[in-house]
């Protein structure tokens, strides 16, 4: 059976495909904002949704969600219809389940999320016009709506989070990663699938669906989570060196001198001086950070190994010189930092070594440049 065709009398924010004839579950795509057009005017939208759901004849359903939220009453109605549905419902967050969309997500018998999907809960919002009594009534109504949402969340999380904790999380507008959603019970498992996403200004774009972060109270939290999720991708890309390049670059790490660690100090003044010196060492190193992946990795390796800014300045200058060359082997240059870091983390940093002489350091610098340039 193909797509369900119904008369489009009102805007739809869902799409249903029935694949039951192919021994696969039917799919419902709930992408974009959950709208309220005519939901209360004549119940046409609610009725159309119920009809589309009923046409699946109780077969298993995969509910695919990618939505910044929208009308909470529409979401509650969808939730109730899905909970009454006879077939098994698997909810998959294809990018973002935020605000009212989380209510619908909770209707799944099983909820799964890709590793870089996001889940956000907050208190219901509305616009109000009127006198003080009317404003107070609106606030009371919002409390009632919040309680109904909390009830949905409690049912889904099954004791992993309390009512008070949920209310606190909603007050704070809480953004969760897929792993955190599993911890709190909003989701059951995290898949290896990774969705396409990016940030463009205030827009968080996930699987081609845009979410304006400026509309949320703490949209900056979503940005921070997004950027943190992206880091493993960047690290994986940097580690694509071949074995031949690694063999050539291993000698670079061997030539880097590791500064001697200071002897333990006993008296209070000496301790304070040592702490001050270490703080200044870290500050001076961090001042050299440029955002360049290779240079920053060398600096971080130096921080771990106890080296100073003066110890590594010549090496960084050499890397910059190699990068500027037209014949530079980019893969080799990018691999430098990983070789150096691997060397530092292998335990070599715990071995006392003598700093290289001027001639030895210059020889190492020349070799870095030669290898980086493929010579």
């Amino acid at each position: 059976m193909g797509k369900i065709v119904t008369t489009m009398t009102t805007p739809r924010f869902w799409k249903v495909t029935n694949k039951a004839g192919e021994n696969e579950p039917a799919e419902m795509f709930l992408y974009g904002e959950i709208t309220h057009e005519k939901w209360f005017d004549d119940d046409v939208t609610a009725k159309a949704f119920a009809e589309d759901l009923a046409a699946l004849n109780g077969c298993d359903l995969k509910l695919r969600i990618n939505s910044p939220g929208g009308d909470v009453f529409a979401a509650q109605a969808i939730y109730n219809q899905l909970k009454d549905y006879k077939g098994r419902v698997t909810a998959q967050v294809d990018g973002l389940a935020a605000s009212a969309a989380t209510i619908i997500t909770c209707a799944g018998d099983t909820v799964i999320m890709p590793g870089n999907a996001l889940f956000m809960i907050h208190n219901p919002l509305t616009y109000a016009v009127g006198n003080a009594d009317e404003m107070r009534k609106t606030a009371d109504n919002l409390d009632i709506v919040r309680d109904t949402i909390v009830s949905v969340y409690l049912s889904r999380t099954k004791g992993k989070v309390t009512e008070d904790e949920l209310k606190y999380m909603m007050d704070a507008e809480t953004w969760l990663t897929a792993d955190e959603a599993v911890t709190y019970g909003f989701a059951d498992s995290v898949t290896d699938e990774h969705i396409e996403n990016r940030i463009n200004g205030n827009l968080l774009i996930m699987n081609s669906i845009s979410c304006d972060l400026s509309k949320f109270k703490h949209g900056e939290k979503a940005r921070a989570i997004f950027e943190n999720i992206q880091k493993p991708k960047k690290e994986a890309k940097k580690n694509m060196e071949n074995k031949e390049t690694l063999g050539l670059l291993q000698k670079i790490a061997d030539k880097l001198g590791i500064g001697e660690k200071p002897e333990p100090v006993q008296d209070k003044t000496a301790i304070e001086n040592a702490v001050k010196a270490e703080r200044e060492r870290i500050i001076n190193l961090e001042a050299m950070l440029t955002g360049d992946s290779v240079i920053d990795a060398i600096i971080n390796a130096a921080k771990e190994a106890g080296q100073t800014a003066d110890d590594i300045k010549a090496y960084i200058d050499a890397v910059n010189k190699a990068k500027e060359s037209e014949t530079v082997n980019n893969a080799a240059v990018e691999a430098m930092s990983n070789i150096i870091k691997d060397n530092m983390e292998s335990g070599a940093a715990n071995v006392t070594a003598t700093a290289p002489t001027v001639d030895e350091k210059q020889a190492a610098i020349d070799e870095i440049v030669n290898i980086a340039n493929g010579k």
Side-chain angles (χ1 to χ4, degrees):
M1 185 174 179
K3 296 180 180 178
I4 296 173
V5 179
T6 55
T7 303
M8 295 295 290
T9 56
T10 61
R12 299 288 184 88
F13 46 87
W14 72 88
K15 174 184 176 183
V16 183
T17 301
N18 190 347
K19 296 182 179 179
E22 304 171 18
N23 295 320
E24 296 181 16
E27 286 188 327
M28 172 180 290
F29 293 83
L30 202 160
Y31 273 41
E33 187 173 352
I34 302 167
T35 56
H36 65 277
E37 283 88 347
K38 295 193 176 181
W39 195 273
F40 298 109
D41 294 346
D42 54 17
D43 210 27
V44 171
T45 309
K47 181 179 179 183
F49 183 88
E51 289 174 348
D52 281 1
L53 201 59
L56 299 177
N57 297 316
C59 67
D60 290 346
L61 173 64
K62 187 171 186 179
L63 176 65
R64 307 187 65 162
I65 299 168
N66 189 15
S67 170
D71 185 77
V72 65
F73 298 106
Q76 288 277 21
I78 292 174
Y79 170 85
N80 290 328
Q81 291 179 26
L82 288 169
K83 292 301 287 185
D84 289 339
Y85 183 65
K86 292 181 180 180
R88 181 171 182 78
V89 177
T90 299
Q92 175 174 311
V93 179
D94 280 350
L96 175 66
S99 190
T102 61
I103 299 172
I104 298 174
T105 305
C106 288
D109 298 301
T110 300
V111 177
I112 58 179
M113 295 179 66
N116 59 341
L118 295 178
F119 194 96
M120 186 278 280
I121 63 174
H122 67 168
N123 283 325
L125 307 172
T126 190
Y127 296 100
V129 177
N131 57 34
D133 289 337
E134 291 169 327
M135 291 293 196
R136 274 187 284 270
K137 183 177 180 180
T138 298
D140 291 340
N141 288 338
L142 281 175
D143 287 339
I144 293 172
V145 173
R146 181 196 61 182
D147 290 343
T148 64
I149 298 173
V150 169
S151 178
V152 168
Y153 291 161
L154 285 172
S155 177
R156 160 98 290 266
T157 54
K158 297 180 175 64
K160 289 188 176 181
V161 60
T162 68
E163 179 177 344
D164 287 341
E165 288 171 335
L166 281 169
K167 289 181 178 179
Y168 175 82
M169 293 170 69
M170 292 170 71
D171 286 342
E173 186 185 285
T174 301
W175 292 80
L176 302 174
T177 64
D179 287 330
E180 289 170 335
V182 170
T183 298
Y184 285 107
F186 290 109
D188 298 298
S189 63
V190 179
T191 70
D192 293 332
E193 177 186 359
H194 277 256
I195 57 166
E196 293 297 323
N197 53 25
R198 60 190 174 89
I199 287 184
N200 183 7
N202 285 325
L203 291 181
L204 173 62
I205 304 171
M206 309 187 82
N207 268 3
S208 301
I209 299 298
S210 298
C211 173
D212 187 352
L213 295 178
S214 66
K215 293 183 178 180
F216 296 104
K217 183 178 179 181
H218 294 300
E220 74 281 357
K221 293 182 180 179
R223 182 186 295 273
I225 292 173
F226 173 83
E227 292 173 350
N228 191 52
I229 289 174
Q230 294 298 91
K231 285 182 181 178
K233 276 186 174 181
K234 295 176 181 178
E235 290 299 320
K237 186 176 180 181
K238 288 195 298 183
N239 290 328
M240 296 293 290
E241 311 91 358
N242 58 51
K243 292 182 179 180
E244 181 180 355
T245 303
L246 288 176
L248 290 172
L249 293 174
Q250 182 61 56
K251 59 181 101 173
I252 295 177
D254 296 336
K255 289 185 175 293
L256 289 174
I258 301 174
E260 295 185 7
K261 295 184 181 298
E263 293 295 323
V265 290
Q266 303 298 328
D267 63 278
K268 183 177 179 181
T269 301
I271 292 174
E272 291 176 348
N273 289 338
V275 170
K276 180 180 179 181
E278 175 64 8
R279 184 183 298 115
E280 290 178 352
R281 182 183 76 87
I282 296 298
I283 290 173
N284 290 336
L285 283 170
E286 290 183 344
M288 300 173 71
L289 293 170
T290 65
D292 179 274
S293 59
V294 176
I295 291 176
D296 288 359
I298 293 174
I299 293 169
N300 289 331
K303 288 164 63 178
E304 296 173 8
Q307 293 178 297
T308 67
D310 289 338
D311 291 334
I312 65 170
K313 183 179 183 300
Y315 296 109
I316 290 178
D317 290 343
V319 171
N320 282 326
K321 181 179 179 181
K323 279 179 168 287
E324 291 172 0
S325 172
E326 292 182 357
T327 60
V328 67
N329 181 336
N330 290 328
V333 175
E334 289 188 6
M336 288 179 191
S337 61
N338 294 326
I339 293 297
I340 295 166
K341 190 172 182 181
D342 288 346
N343 182 268
M344 299 304 182
E345 293 179 348
S346 67
N350 296 323
V351 179
T352 302
T354 303
T357 65
V358 173
D359 290 340
E360 290 172 337
K361 178 176 286 191
Q362 185 58 51
I365 292 169
D366 292 341
E367 188 162 0
I368 290 173
V369 175
N370 289 335
I371 292 175
N373 285 304
K375 295 180 181 180

